């Protein structure tokens, strides 16, 4: 299969579209796949290609403050990080609407991402029942647990945080998958996380899976650090393919 990679602009969001050249104008299942912190859409292009090879139309957006939208990172810890996730949540529906209007999707919607993109994926699940399958690679299913961990580390180091930090990040309470998962419709949900992850704690994913273990959740724990390798990308692509066939 020969793939086409096209640059698009959806609103103000630059995206890459990866799709089979032979089926470029067909209605296809759609996957939105998000990159990680301080990277860009181009750095998840290999993953996008692997998913597109399975017959999907894959959309890789640049998050706010990243890639073509690169901005300086705020000196206030976690401000730019959480702002980027928040912007992904704001823009998700507009991405779906764009490809629906163009008659390029057949209504199957998958979402995935790595690290910050995995956290975006989990947050989206709390408000979007139209999502049919989701893959979180090296991300946390609990925005609150991750925020609280950062807050503790920042306080221990004596770094400045606004006094109303918890109020400024209060939107996370409504987008924390670990808090709402039991009340949501169950869809295929894939997790991959390295036990030696030095950036996003393995324990946050492991605790979530143990608490909510059910036939819809697939969890691969690996003796790896915060890095995605080719075999993991293959597993993610296979997951979306099998989810679409269910």
């Amino acid at each position: 299969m020969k793939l086409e990679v096209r640059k698009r602009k959806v609103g103000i969001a630059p995206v890459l579209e990866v799709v089979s050249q032979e089926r470029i104008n067909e209605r296809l299942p759609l996957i939105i796949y998000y990159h990680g912190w301080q990277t860009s859409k181009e750095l998840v292009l290999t993953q996008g290609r692997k998913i597109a090879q399975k017959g999907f139309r894959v959309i890789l957006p640049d998050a706010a403050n990243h890639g073509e939208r690169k901005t300086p990172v705020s000196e206030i810890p976690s401000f730019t990080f959480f702002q980027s996730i928040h912007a992904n949540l704001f823009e998700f529906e507009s991405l779906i609407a764009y490809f629906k209007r163009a008659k390029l999707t057949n209504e199957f919607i998958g979402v995935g991402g790595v690290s910050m993109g995995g956290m975006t994926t989990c947050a989206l699940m709390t408000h979007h029942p139209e999502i049919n399958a989701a893959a979180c690679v090296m991300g946390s299913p609990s925005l609150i647990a991750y925020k609280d961990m950062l807050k503790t580390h920042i306080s221990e180091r004596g770094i400045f945080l606004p006094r109303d930090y918890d109020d400024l990040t209060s939107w996370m309470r409504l987008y924390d998958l670990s808090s709402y998962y039991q009340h949501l419709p169950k869809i295929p949900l894939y997790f991959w996380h390295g036990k030696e992850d030095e950036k996003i704690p393995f324990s946050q994913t492991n605790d979530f899976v143990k608490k909510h273990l059910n036939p819809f959740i697939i969890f691969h724990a690996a003796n790896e650090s915060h890095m995605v390798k080719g075999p993991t990308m293959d597993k993610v692509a296979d997951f979306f393919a099998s989810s679409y066939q269910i």
Side-chain angles (χ1 to χ4, degrees), residues 71-201:
T71 58
V73 175
S74 171
E75 293 183 1
I76 301 173
S78 77
F79 172 70
T80 308
F81 179 81
F82 287 130
Q83 184 189 58
S84 302
I85 293 177
H86 203 197
N88 281 342
L89 304 183
F90 263 96
E91 294 173 347
F92 173 74
E93 208 166 339
S94 67
L95 293 175
I96 302 301
Y98 178 92
F99 288 93
K100 283 187 174 181
R101 286 195 302 270
K103 297 180 171 55
L104 293 174
T105 175
N106 65 2
E107 304 300 324
F108 180 95
I109 305 296
V111 181
V114 56
S115 191
M116 182 182 78
M119 296 172 76
T120 294
T121 297
C122 291
L124 285 167
M125 287 180 63
T126 64
H127 282 67
H128 293 279
E130 69 271 26
I131 294 174
N132 301 110
C136 174
V137 179
M138 302 191 309
S140 173
S142 177
L143 287 171
I144 293 174
Y146 188 74
K147 179 207 68 168
D148 288 346
M149 180 201 73
L150 289 180
K151 184 179 177 182
T152 298
H153 289 173
I154 292 164
S155 299
E156 288 173 349
R157 294 167 61 188
I159 299 173
F160 168 81
L161 270 184
R163 286 176 297 173
D164 55 349
Y165 180 76
D166 288 330
D167 287 338
L168 290 168
T169 55
S170 60
W171 61 269
M172 295 181 192
R173 290 197 295 268
L174 297 175
Y175 288 86
D176 185 87
L177 182 61
S178 65
S179 299
Y180 288 95
Y181 181 76
Q182 60 185 335
H183 305 297
L184 300 176
K186 299 302 179 283
I187 63 168
L189 174 56
Y190 178 86
F191 286 102
W192 184 95
H193 213 127
K195 295 179 181 179
E196 300 169 22
D197 194 321
E198 70 282 10
K199 295 184 179 179
I200 299 180

